[in-house]
Amino acid sequence: MKHLFAAALMAASLMTASLMTALPALAQDKLSVMLDWFVNPDHAPLVVAQEKGFFKDAGLDVTLTAPADPNDPPKLVAAGKTDLAVSYQPQLILHVAEGLPLVRVGTLVSTPLNSVVVLRDGPVKTLKDLKGRKIGFSIAGFEDALLGAMLEKHGLSLKDVELVNVNFSLSPSLLSGQVDAVVGAFRNFELNQMEIEKHPGRAFYPEEEGVPPYDELILVAQKGKTDDPRFKRFLAAVERATLYILNHPEEAQAAFVKDRPELNDELNRRAWADTLPRFAHSPAALDAERYTRFAEFLKARGLIKTVAPVDQYAVVVK
């Protein structure tokens, strides 16, 4: 009798296992995210969340895509072509002033990365030494406004320097002697690149030279869609990944380069280490006063006409 019961029990177990195998996996909600640039250590929380299965655990099937044109991501979000995009706090405020329906829903990098860079062994020791010199830039508008504020602290103005559009060739234009300084250089990349090439640089930091601190990398969504339930789960997974990176930097870096061997080089390893302390520990959190302060700075520099209420362009996802 016991043998018959055991046989029946085994048959039932096999049938249950077979049925479970035949059942489809629970469907995951698709979510598209457009990066601001090609994949690099600035995007580590997103990539690690994907590689470690944190998005999957949150019931999300996330697609990370690099843009063909770095100007496109916010526009694609505004047009409803992608769910989220990586952007920048200064650009968000400018885009909203232009009428784009965008809202910040999260933060990736919570400190400025932008800086003014010169050669360490060159003639520029202080910002005051930039008088009469050439300064390269990539993006007109915000970068020259930022530079103008930094110069004013040292008794100079944009009229005292010559601005040269070097597109995105920042460190090469500096190393070649085309310009004496560059603005818009990310301190976690350009400084490391110059060090590797045996031409070390010196950085001047906007937040130490009269520019209010701001979030360098943020996540934006289309206005009117911030109640999308996927966003809260997405940000929770990004927070989980950020903490994993802080607690297990070597394992996280291994996951980051697993399918991207081109990122496992000296420059990206150095950038990884320099970027780690700058990730937002709570990606969903919002400092509204900080956003207002920076918007007031942009107004004072003539880049926007009015300072809009923060809740019109930056929210905490519920």
Side-chain angles (χ1 to χ4, degrees):
M1 191 72 177
K2 288 182 180 180
H3 294 298
L4 290 173
F5 179 76
L9 185 61
M10 181 176 292
S13 298
L14 290 172
M15 183 177 293
T16 301
S18 177
L19 286 171
M20 290 180 68
T21 302
L23 289 173
L26 291 176
Q28 294 188 312
D29 294 326
K30 293 183 180 297
L31 186 74
S32 56
V33 181
M34 180 74 71
L35 305 178
D36 60 310
W37 195 243
F38 54 83
V39 176
N40 63 74
D42 293 347
H43 309 128
L46 303 179
V47 175
V48 170
Q50 190 175 58
E51 294 294 339
K52 299 299 294 183
F54 299 158
F55 287 141
K56 184 178 180 181
D57 291 346
L60 296 172
D61 178 8
V62 175
T63 302
L64 304 176
T65 307
D69 182 334
N71 295 310
D72 286 347
K75 299 173 185 176
L76 292 173
V77 168
K81 303 296 185 180
T82 186
D83 296 312
L84 295 171
V86 176
S87 191
Y88 313 87
Q89 182 186 335
Q91 274 68 30
L92 167 67
I93 297 174
L94 296 178
H95 284 145
V96 170
E98 293 167 359
L100 283 183
L102 297 171
V103 179
R104 172 268 178 208
V105 295
T107 302
L108 278 183
V109 175
S110 59
T111 75
L113 294 176
N114 203 325
S115 60
V116 172
V117 171
V118 300
L119 289 171
R120 188 187 300 169
D121 58 359
V124 179
K125 305 302 180 185
T126 70
L127 287 175
K128 197 166 186 178
D129 296 330
L130 288 174
K131 185 174 183 178
R133 299 188 184 276
K134 296 180 179 179
I135 303 178
F137 71 95
S138 298
I139 303 172
F142 171 62
E143 287 182 359
D144 48 6
L146 178 145
L147 176 63
M150 296 174 71
L151 291 173
E152 284 178 12
K153 188 179 177 184
H154 296 266
L156 302 177
S157 74
L158 291 175
K159 294 180 181 179
D160 294 307
V161 300
E162 180 183 348
L163 293 175
V164 179
N165 190 337
V166 296
N167 295 314
F168 291 98
S169 184
L170 292 171
S171 55
S173 67
L174 182 59
L175 295 179
S176 68
Q178 181 185 355
V179 295
D180 303 295
V182 292
V183 60
F186 271 20
R187 62 194 72 170
N188 56 338
F189 274 93
E190 269 77 11
L191 286 178
N192 282 312
Q193 184 177 17
M194 293 171 69
E195 189 80 35
I196 291 170
E197 295 184 20
K198 308 301 182 185
H199 294 286
R202 173 187 289 110
F204 299 100
Y205 306 121
E207 67 273 23
E208 296 179 359
E209 302 290 348
V211 178
Y214 58 90
D215 297 339
E216 190 68 63
L217 289 187
I218 60 173
L219 292 153
V220 297
Q222 188 184 63
K223 192 171 185 177
K225 293 186 177 180
T226 56
D227 59 350
D228 190 319
R230 297 174 299 171
F231 295 167
K232 186 173 183 178
R233 286 182 281 147
F234 173 82
L235 291 169
V238 173
E239 180 177 39
R240 183 181 173 190
T242 302
L243 295 176
Y244 180 84
I245 291 169
L246 296 174
N247 292 335
H248 310 282
E250 292 183 4
E251 294 91 334
Q253 201 267 344
F256 178 72
V257 302
K258 180 177 144 218
D259 296 318
R260 302 169 182 84
E262 71 279 5
L263 296 180
N264 194 20
D265 61 7
E266 180 70 12
L267 175 58
N268 282 283
R269 285 193 293 271
R270 289 190 183 204
W272 172 274
D274 285 350
T275 312
L276 252 61
R278 300 182 180 278
F279 291 129
H281 295 183
S282 180
L286 171 66
D287 185 340
E289 183 178 344
R290 193 185 200 204
Y291 270 65
T292 297
R293 190 165 60 243
F294 196 79
E296 290 171 346
F297 166 79
L298 294 180
K299 182 175 181 293
R301 304 308 303 182
L303 293 181
I304 58 176
K305 293 181 179 179
T306 59
V307 175
V310 174
D311 61 8
Q312 290 187 12
Y313 62 90
V315 299
V316 176
V317 175
K318 301 296 185 182

